[in-house]
Amino acid sequence: MHHDPVTGLWLVSRHHDVRQVLLDPDVFLPDNAQHSVTPLPVAVLRVLARGGFSLPPALANNGSPTHAGLRRVVTRFFHANRVADAVPVIERIADELLDEVRSRIDSTGDCDLFTSFAQLLPCRVLMELLGIRGVEPDTLIRWSDASLELFWGRPTPERQLELAKLVVDFHQWLTATVRGGMAASDSFIGALARHRLPDGEPLDVETAVGVCFFVFIAGQSTTGQLITTVLRRALAEPGMWSRVAGEAGLAEAWVEEVLRREPPVTTWRRVTARATELSGVRLPAGAQVLVMLLGSGSDPEVFPSPERMCPRRENIRHHLAFGAGRHRCPGASLARTEAAVALRAAARRLPGIRPAAGAGEPPMLGLLSFRAPLKMVVE
């Protein structure tokens, strides 16, 4: 436990403590999970207000009685059986993208696997699984990335204005899609339209948009970040690239080790509902808590030799990369599956690739809660 006087955050990094925080949402409230890290100036607030932007509590920041029902709507589209049925879809899209990657490598000698494969795959899969129409994948990715940077980054005021306009475009498209009434009844938006709150009232448009906002970002941006790290680490590990192409279960195990050691979601926030104690440290009411998901995966009390990538660990799924408890990531099964399919497909279709000469360390996404390579050039 460490209190940072500069940010005012209480940092929690031991696996046991992080798990305790996540499993007690009545004491450690999720209310601040989506608050902007950098205060939004008046000019930015005006842009958001004019665009009708609002994000009422929906999923990650919802500690109210409405959370359970909304979560059930989401999990129906992301539960393990449905994801297993979607594997052919994921494999088909992966092969289509890798055809283009291979063609580009053959013609130019190199290719950026982040922008041409890892980033596009989860976006296109999400669009197919949720029945999203009328928007290009590149647009959804741009909107999603802008939302992450605005709320979890430290942009300049000028950059905040640019991002706010993109976020408003995203929110207005979501609102029009939810309100349009044209979504198929068996689609994700159709399910939200049918949902009833605990008092029997239909779900309001603003909250439905909030659910979509969170799901669309988590379902594409963070999964794309995970896939990039999985590919990069496998390519750097001697012998791993050729092994994952044919060794049963190894791609899945490698994904788990990357999630433990280098998850795309590195931290998450909570706020104490009342004064409480954690590991002998007294926290006041209203304490801003930052749970260090990345650090918890390297706790030597849980993971022996945590610095080693060991895909045959006995407790390989004991990491907290997807959280725990009531607010555990509902898309965990899909993210795991997409990353394993992506790794196996890339290793089979691109057996002779290597990091491009002179590429060096890639630029990194460095937001409060998100970290991943923004480029992966191979030749």
Side-chain angles (χ1 to χ4, degrees), residues 356-379:
E361 286 297 306
M364 299 291 289
L365 178 71
L367 310 181
L368 174 68
S369 295
F370 304 92
R371 179 172 170 78
L374 293 173
K375 184 178 287 188
M376 185 187 169
V377 181
V378 296
E379 59 186 16

Side-chain angles (χ1 to χ4, degrees), residues 73 76-77 82 129-133 177-178 180-195:
V73 175
R76 277 202 293 271
F77 283 82
R82 188 162 184 148
L129 294 186
L130 301 188
I132 302 168
R133 303 287 184 267
T177 303
V178 170
M182 301 299 290
S185 60
D186 60 348
S187 70
F188 181 64
I189 291 174
L192 287 172
R194 296 193 309 274
H195 181 66

Side-chain angles (χ1 to χ4, degrees), residues 73-119:
V73 175
V74 176
T75 53
R76 277 202 293 271
F77 283 82
F78 296 112
H79 64 72
N81 291 339
R82 188 162 184 148
V83 170
D85 291 341
V87 166
V89 174
I90 302 170
E91 291 175 334
R92 170 176 55 78
I93 295 173
D95 282 341
E96 290 172 3
L97 293 173
L98 288 169
D99 283 343
E100 296 177 18
V101 168
R102 185 58 189 258
S103 176
R104 196 171 305 168
I105 291 176
D106 288 344
S107 61
T108 67
D110 62 28
C111 183
D112 180 4
L113 285 186
F114 173 63
T115 54
S116 61
F117 179 58
Q119 194 178 44

Side-chain angles (χ1 to χ4, degrees), residues 1 12-20 257 259-263 279 292-308 313 315 318-320:
M1 293 290 298
V12 183
S13 60
R14 288 201 319 169
H15 187 281
H16 173 270
D17 295 338
V18 169
R19 192 167 185 274
Q20 184 175 335
E257 271 294 82
L259 283 165
R260 174 190 69 81
R261 183 70 175 164
E262 207 169 342
S279 277
M292 315 291 283
L293 302 176
L294 178 103
S296 70
S298 294
D299 188 336
E301 293 184 10
V302 180
F303 303 105
S305 302
E307 73 286 350
R308 288 183 56 237
R313 287 181 186 273
N315 62 348
H318 287 195
H319 61 76
L320 299 170

Side-chain angles (χ1 to χ4, degrees), residues 25-26 29-31 57-59 61-72 195-200 203 207 326-327:
D26 295 324
L29 303 173
D31 301 24
L59 289 174
N61 62 341
N62 189 357
S64 78
T66 66
H67 174 264
L70 292 172
R71 183 180 171 84
R72 281 193 295 272
H195 181 66
R196 292 295 180 267
L197 297 170
D199 60 5
L203 182 64
T207 303
R326 196 183 300 170
H327 288 86

Side-chain angles (χ1 to χ4, degrees), residues 109-193:
D110 62 28
C111 183
D112 180 4
L113 285 186
F114 173 63
T115 54
S116 61
F117 179 58
Q119 194 178 44
L120 277 172
L121 175 63
C123 184
R124 284 186 50 185
V125 168
L126 192 75
M127 292 177 72
E128 234 175 275
L129 294 186
L130 301 188
I132 302 168
R133 303 287 184 267
V135 65
E136 291 298 316
D138 288 345
T139 301
L140 266 183
I141 290 168
R142 186 167 63 252
W143 285 342
S144 181
D145 288 350
S147 303
L148 285 183
E149 187 180 350
L150 181 62
F151 292 110
W152 280 276
R154 299 192 180 280
T156 64
E158 294 76 19
R159 179 64 176 160
Q160 284 179 315
L161 277 173
E162 296 173 12
L163 296 169
K165 292 169 185 173
L166 289 170
V167 170
V168 164
D169 289 343
F170 185 24
H171 191 271
Q172 289 180 338
W173 174 80
L174 284 173
T175 302
T177 303
V178 170
R179 278 191 174 138
M182 301 299 290
S185 60
D186 60 348
S187 70
F188 181 64
I189 291 174
L192 287 172

